[in-house]
Amino acid sequence: MQLLRPDSPAHAIALRAAHPGARFVAGGTALQQEWGDRHRAPAGCCLVPLHHLSALHGIELIEGASALRIGAAMPLETVRTHALVRAHAPLLVEALSQLGALGVRHLGTLGGNVGWRWGDSTPALLVLDAQAECAHAPGQRLPLSGLLAQAELPLIVALHIPLSPGGLPPHTAFEKAAARAAFAPARLRLALRWNAGQLSHAACAAPDVPARLLGRTLAWLHSHPVTRGAAALAGLRQACAADGLPSEHPEDLAHLAARLVAGHCGLLGPAIEEVP
Ligand SMILES: Cc1cc2nc3c(=O)[nH]c(=O)nc-3n(C[C@H](O)[C@H](O)[C@H](O)COP(=O)(O)OP(=O)(O)OC[C@H]3O[C@@H](n4cnc5c(N)ncnc54)[C@H](O)[C@@H]3O)c2cc1C
């Protein structure tokens, strides 16, 4: 195994470019899942560690407290328990509270969770309109939704969460659904956000379904404001499938997501009869 130690984010990018097949590594807790022997990196493996880079550290309010900046190398447990994150991004705290065990949260980082593509934090970050500070574009902030659609993720230095002008975090919900069996890995992560009582954002992630915003699902909800019950479930399932969630056996994740969205939006019951 080759370990290439960078001294800055720019150096890390240069090292990865100069060594085809080299991977960034932060906590290594997701990367090791790809190795045959989780305790030993495969022969010929080339890693560019990031955790020591100070640019990837820190949790702070920036730009007149209009955004929360979280360094990509911050351990998940540090993010989860930080006073600023608890005050301004309770949805992220909720998602991280359901992630792994304490040991994993101490080693794993927020950047690594996003880099994993379907980590618990990603749907939460997507509905919070998070932007990424990337090493290749200093001074810019790139929407996380666009970055996650790319085949290769650039080096993320920090995640920025814009804060609402009133200071109060938006109404949000997070669901992590798994099979009812011990040690079953999660099947679906779903994050929702409301604005003035109306669902304004929905995002999900699942194994082999990289994190994404559910634009078609949202559009369906807005164009069918009074549909309830089975009709709502059928329409939402079709919309979730159009958003890229598998709808065939063995994993009908579109149905699972449709049920969760419908449940949170109060659409599972029958239509309320109008009293004449
Ligand atoms: C027992 C166990 C349980 C787990 N349970 C969960 C769970 O419940 N939910 C969950 O979401 N995850 C879970 N994980 C997976 C993992 O622990 C987390 O996703 C963690 O956040 C990964 O962070 P890391 O720093 O260890 O990432 P790494 O393993 O270091 O990296 C993961 C990927 O991200 C890339 N990367 C790392 N940092 C950056 C960066 N700054 N910019 C761009 N790319 C980057 C790497 O190249 C790699 O492709 C679990 C893992 C284990 C071992």
Side-chain angles (χ1 to χ4, degrees):
M1 182 186 77
Q2 202 180 358
L3 209 55
L4 307 164
R5 196 179 154 88
D7 53 30
S8 67
H11 189 205
I13 302 182
L15 284 174
R16 186 171 73 163
H19 295 79
R23 305 279 300 273
F24 295 134
V25 62
T29 59
L31 208 55
Q32 69 175 10
Q33 307 297 315
E34 301 173 20
W35 303 340
D37 174 355
R38 289 181 191 172
H39 302 290
R40 194 183 295 266
C45 167
C46 186
L47 298 176
V48 182
L50 304 172
H51 56 273
H52 61 285
L53 296 175
S54 59
L56 276 66
H57 287 200
I59 298 179
E60 58 190 326
L61 292 178
I62 53 165
E63 292 158 1
S66 64
L68 176 65
R69 179 190 186 274
I70 307 176
M74 294 311 287
L76 298 164
E77 185 62 5
T78 306
V79 177
R80 190 185 77 83
T81 54
H82 199 281
L84 286 177
V85 184
R86 295 188 91 84
H88 297 286
L91 177 68
L92 185 58
V93 173
E94 196 180 342
L96 296 183
S97 299
Q98 298 185 36
L99 191 156
L102 192 57
V104 171
R105 296 201 299 268
H106 274 301
L107 275 177
T109 63
L110 191 62
N113 197 245
V114 172
W116 196 41
R117 303 281 186 149
W118 52 77
D120 293 352
S121 74
T122 36
L125 289 167
L126 281 175
V127 303
L128 293 174
D129 288 331
Q131 298 167 331
E133 184 184 319
C134 292
H136 72 282
Q140 288 183 42
R141 288 194 207 160
L142 309 172
L144 185 60
S145 51
L147 280 189
L148 285 166
Q150 293 178 16
E152 188 171 60
L153 213 60
L155 172 48
I156 299 174
V157 173
L159 278 313
H160 292 238
I161 299 173
L163 305 183
S164 12
L168 277 180
H171 172 200
T172 50
F174 182 79
E175 290 280 358
K176 182 168 168 177
R180 227 171 207 236
F183 305 117
R187 292 168 65 202
L188 183 78
R189 288 99 169 157
L190 178 82
L192 303 171
R193 171 176 171 180
W194 286 262
N195 189 12
Q198 193 178 38
L199 194 72
S200 60
H201 296 64
C204 75
D208 299 327
V209 182
R212 65 201 50 212
L213 285 165
L214 299 176
R216 307 272 181 94
T217 306
L218 214 56
W220 188 92
L221 279 169
H222 293 166
S223 57
H224 296 79
V226 293
T227 310
R228 298 275 183 286
L233 269 184
L236 279 170
R237 178 171 176 264
Q238 212 169 16
C240 288
D243 273 324
L245 284 171
S247 56
E248 304 298 333
H249 182 77
E251 272 294 55
D252 192 344
L253 291 183
H255 177 68
L256 178 56
R259 284 198 74 83
L260 292 170
V261 171
H264 276 283
C265 294
L267 306 180
L268 282 182
I272 297 165
E273 299 282 331
E274 292 255 338
V275 180

